[in-house]
Amino acid sequence: MLRALALLIAAAATAAIAQDYPVKPVVIVVPAAAGGPTDTLARQLAVAMGGALKQQLLIDNSGGAGGTIGINKAAKARPDGYTLLLYHIGMATAPALYRKLPYDTLNDFEYIGQIADVPMMLIAKKTLPPGSFAEFLSYAKANRDKLAYANAGLGSASYLCGLLFMSTIQAEFTTVPYKGTGPAMNDLVGGQVDFMCDQTTNTVPQIKSGNVKAYGVTTAVRLRSLPGVPTLDEQGLKGFNLVVWNGLYAPKGTPKAALDKLVAALQVAVQDATFRTRLADLAAEPVPVAKATPESLRTLLRSEIDKWTPIIRKAGVYAD
Ligand code: MLT
């Protein structure tokens, strides 16, 4: 009798919590430094989802170790609906790169949904002599021991693009790792490093203001917002195609009622006109609603782990 009463009270309490969720700001852990592409996407999403949830979403930048520090922080957070994780393709590369990951990528998280796809661009400091990609290729091969490539650490999107680019042109360069491409971009604009492959949410403003040079985009077709920048594919790197997908997660055990509200808010956000316009200005594309679902993200993450693991294994790189 007492047990039944206790269960009843607990159920009522859970229902009340579910009904009022969220009653305080929700934190999104971003495993990359402030000011970079993932931070930019997270801040746009926080506005759009905050409107739908009628609550503030705050960003916690926890960069480093190719994103695994922030991912682990979110995995270990209290599963109460008030801590989320926003991360990209790096979720799929870490299992191959880190032999001792402190979390289980596929089983330590609840899935909320995909958010947006972000193309990447090969860019360089504005003082680098080559004026075109063709000139850059011969210059880079002739100066491979002098050029410094910036990235956000092993497993990051900028690392993966560099890995693909270097293996495609058969040339290695010194790489300079940062906690994110936000700080890397500052050094590129300042001329401390020479080139980088980074997401358009970070490159477009710098290209438009003439702070960096653009040699090409990593998509199969040119970007509507940057029609003048050719693809790497059309410039001879046949089949070069890399777009950064992004997903939203919560710690395993987060109440279903909270997850349902988060999925609904994400679906409102990806259709939100302001969110869509802001991303379009940065050449990024919110996903269709059908992809802003737990199933779609779970399926994508699994297939991406299967895709990147052999590529990384072939490169024979380990982060630990
Ligand atoms: C960032 O926000 O800094 C990027 O996502 C880093 C990267 O993965 O290249």
Side-chain angles (χ1 to χ4, degrees):
M1 174 64 183
L2 269 182
R3 188 170 146 64
L5 189 58
L7 285 174
L8 214 65
I9 293 167
T14 311
I17 290 170
Q19 196 169 357
D20 301 341
Y21 173 85
V23 296
K24 61 182 179 175
V26 175
V27 171
I28 302 180
V29 176
V30 169
T38 309
D39 182 58
T40 299
L41 177 64
R43 289 175 195 276
Q44 294 300 335
L45 185 71
V47 174
M49 278 185 75
L53 290 167
K54 298 187 181 36
Q55 184 54 257
Q56 259 195 305
L57 276 75
L58 307 173
I59 306 299
D60 167 5
N61 295 97
S62 297
T68 57
I69 291 172
I71 299 170
N72 188 42
K73 186 177 187 176
K76 306 289 188 306
R78 183 200 301 263
D80 58 5
Y82 290 96
T83 301
L84 308 178
L85 169 69
L86 188 159
Y87 205 39
H88 56 36
I89 202 168
M91 280 294 273
T93 56
L97 278 163
Y98 293 82
R99 285 169 285 213
K100 294 189 289 304
L101 267 186
Y103 58 86
D104 179 330
T105 302
L106 286 170
N107 299 308
D108 282 355
F109 296 98
E110 306 287 354
Y111 301 84
I112 299 170
Q114 294 183 49
I115 305 164
D117 294 334
V118 186
M120 302 189 81
M121 301 183 74
L122 189 67
I123 58 174
K125 64 182 181 185
K126 66 179 181 201
T127 54
L128 204 72
S132 71
F133 179 66
E135 287 172 20
F136 172 72
L137 262 190
S138 38
Y139 181 86
K141 289 182 177 171
N143 296 282
R144 64 186 74 193
D145 50 353
K146 297 196 196 78
L147 289 182
Y149 176 82
N151 70 25
L154 274 171
S156 64
S158 46
Y159 163 81
L160 285 178
C161 187
L163 182 73
L164 280 183
F165 178 68
M166 294 180 200
S167 58
T168 307
I169 70 163
Q170 296 290 308
E172 292 278 328
F173 302 92
T174 306
T175 59
V176 183
Y178 293 78
K179 284 200 169 188
T181 52
M185 182 65 83
N186 297 340
D187 276 6
L188 187 74
V189 170
Q192 280 88 49
V193 286
D194 302 300
F195 73 113
M196 176 162 77
C197 180
D198 193 15
Q199 297 162 68
T200 58
T201 36
N202 202 28
T203 61
V204 169
Q206 301 296 345
I207 292 165
K208 287 195 170 163
S209 48
N211 291 337
V212 298
K213 284 181 175 178
Y215 288 132
V217 287
T218 65
T219 42
V221 293
R222 293 192 183 197
L223 306 175
R224 267 197 309 277
S225 56
L226 288 168
V229 182
T231 66
L232 294 179
D233 173 83
E234 72 182 272
Q235 298 183 96
L237 301 194
K238 284 292 155 231
F240 200 105
N241 188 357
L242 182 57
V243 174
V244 178
W245 52 274
N246 293 271
L248 194 63
Y249 310 81
K252 191 77 180 171
T254 297
K256 182 164 183 337
L259 292 172
D260 292 348
K261 284 194 175 178
L262 291 163
V263 173
L266 174 62
Q267 294 184 350
V268 168
V270 296
Q271 297 173 87
D272 176 85
T274 309
F275 180 69
R276 299 187 67 81
T277 306
R278 294 257 167 85
L279 263 61
D281 291 346
L282 298 170
E285 187 97 24
V287 297
V289 171
K291 288 188 174 181
T293 62
E295 303 68 35
S296 167
L297 180 57
R298 185 183 295 111
T299 308
L300 175 69
L301 180 58
R302 288 206 167 135
S303 66
E304 286 283 295
I305 290 174
D306 296 344
K307 172 180 156 190
W308 286 104
T309 299
I311 295 172
I312 291 169
R313 288 274 149 74
K314 187 159 157 263
V317 190
Y318 285 107
D320 56 5

